[in-house]
């Protein structure tokens, strides 16, 4: 599943659509207006995002409302987290080492 998510996120216009949906449901028309894409191009990108599980659709009468599915982003964050912790730890150690070599002391958290 993560492969399709990474593939979907690799396209800058899809990331732009996700940013436009951050915090609010949007119609294709709204998303096209906000991103400058045509409606067919917007629909095409939304299909890829839906297929990857990043976006859900809610129908109300004849309108389709698109929104971000936070669960997939939780999965992504879980995958990225060990790498983030590793790099944060390495950067903290580098900061401590630089402070030691410059004669400063570091603050304890």
């Amino acid at each position: 599943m993560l492969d399709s998510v990474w593939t979907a996120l690799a396209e800058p216009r899809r990331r732009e659509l996700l940013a436009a949906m951050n915090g609010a449901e949007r119609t294709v028309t709204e998303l096209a207006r906000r991103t400058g894409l045509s409606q067919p191009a917007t629909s095409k990108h939304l299909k890829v995002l839906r297929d990857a599980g990043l976006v859900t659709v809610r129908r109300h009468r004849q309108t389709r409302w698109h929104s971000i599915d936070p669960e997939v982003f939780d999965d992504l964050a879980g995958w990225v987290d060990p790498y983030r912790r590793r790099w944060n730890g390495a950067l903290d150690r580098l900061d401590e080492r630089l402070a030691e070599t410059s004669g400063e002391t570091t603050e304890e958290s």
Side-chain angles (χ1 to χ4, degrees):
M1 181 178 137
L2 282 179
D3 287 345
S4 63
V5 170
W6 292 120
T7 300
L9 292 174
E11 166 58 48
R13 292 299 206 154
R14 292 184 197 127
R15 293 192 306 268
E16 192 176 341
L17 287 168
L18 289 170
M21 285 183 276
N22 194 13
E25 288 183 308
R26 306 273 185 218
T27 64
V28 173
T29 303
E30 288 177 293
L31 290 167
R33 189 182 74 247
R34 287 174 174 266
T35 61
L37 291 169
S38 68
Q39 284 189 355
T42 300
S43 294
K44 207 172 181 181
H45 285 300
L46 285 170
K47 181 181 181 336
V48 174
L49 292 170
R50 280 192 316 271
D51 290 348
L54 292 162
V55 170
T56 60
V57 179
R58 179 180 64 85
R59 284 185 153 182
H60 180 69
R61 296 188 179 132
Q62 292 186 355
T63 304
R64 291 181 177 187
W65 294 91
H66 298 79
S67 60
I68 292 174
D69 185 348
E71 286 186 34
V72 175
F73 287 93
D74 290 341
D75 293 343
L76 279 175
W79 186 88
V80 169
D81 193 51
Y83 300 98
R84 183 189 54 79
R85 283 194 312 262
R86 178 177 180 214
W87 280 106
N88 283 346
L91 291 172
D92 288 345
R93 288 188 300 279
L94 176 62
D95 189 43
E96 290 169 6
R97 181 67 180 132
L98 290 172
E100 287 171 8
T101 59
S102 67
E104 297 176 11
T105 59
T106 59
E107 291 183 52
E108 294 291 327
S109 301

